[in-house]
Amino acid sequence: QAQLVESGGGLVQPGGSLRLSCNASRIVFGLYTMGWYRQAPGKQRQLVASIRNDEFMYYADSVKGRFTISRDNAKKMVYLQINNLTPEDTAVYYCNAKWNSRDFWGQGTQVTVSS
């Protein structure tokens, strides 16, 4: 069974930055599209960024210019650099791996933006 483990969340002031990391194991990482989703209290989980195995990247409009996704296939890692955080970015951030019918999730890491 695949395992995705997120890290890097925390409490940050508005305007601050965080780098989230996701360590994948038990998958052929290079095949997968890796994504970061977030779920705020009372809201649906939404895709914020993804990166395919050909390095094609997608960003939700709400995060363009502030979020950067990247991957390291050798280390089986995917990262999300988040800059200029606002309280609206407060959510649990989940790592996701997709390939064909396979779809795996991490447990999530909390990001809280507050002064």
Side-chain angles (χ1 to χ4, degrees), residues 4-40:
L4 303 176
V5 179
E6 302 96 335
S7 61
L11 174 64
V12 63
Q13 292 186 341
S17 297
L18 282 175
R19 188 194 195 205
L20 306 183
S21 300
C22 173
N23 184 13
S25 59
R26 303 184 200 133
I27 61 172
V28 182
F29 186 80
L31 295 176
Y32 283 74
T33 293
M34 301 301 298
W36 285 98
Y37 289 70
R38 67 184 181 187
Q39 187 167 19

Side-chain angles (χ1 to χ4, degrees), residues 47-107:
L47 175 66
V48 294
S50 65
I51 183 167
R52 296 189 325 205
N53 56 3
D54 62 358
E55 302 283 341
F56 177 84
M57 290 170 276
Y58 162 85
Y59 293 97
D61 287 342
S62 59
V63 307
K64 283 180 181 176
R66 299 190 300 121
F67 288 22
T68 303
I69 190 170
S70 60
R71 64 189 293 162
D72 185 331
N73 288 342
K75 295 181 179 179
K76 294 189 175 183
M77 296 288 294
V78 62
Y79 306 98
L80 187 69
Q81 178 68 40
I82 310 174
N83 297 327
N84 194 20
L85 280 154
T86 73
E88 289 69 35
D89 295 316
T90 295
V92 179
Y93 285 71
Y94 296 91
C95 180
N96 175 262
K98 283 189 175 62
W99 177 59
N100 289 344
S101 61
R102 296 175 173 83
D103 190 359
F104 302 112
W105 294 90
Q107 293 298 308

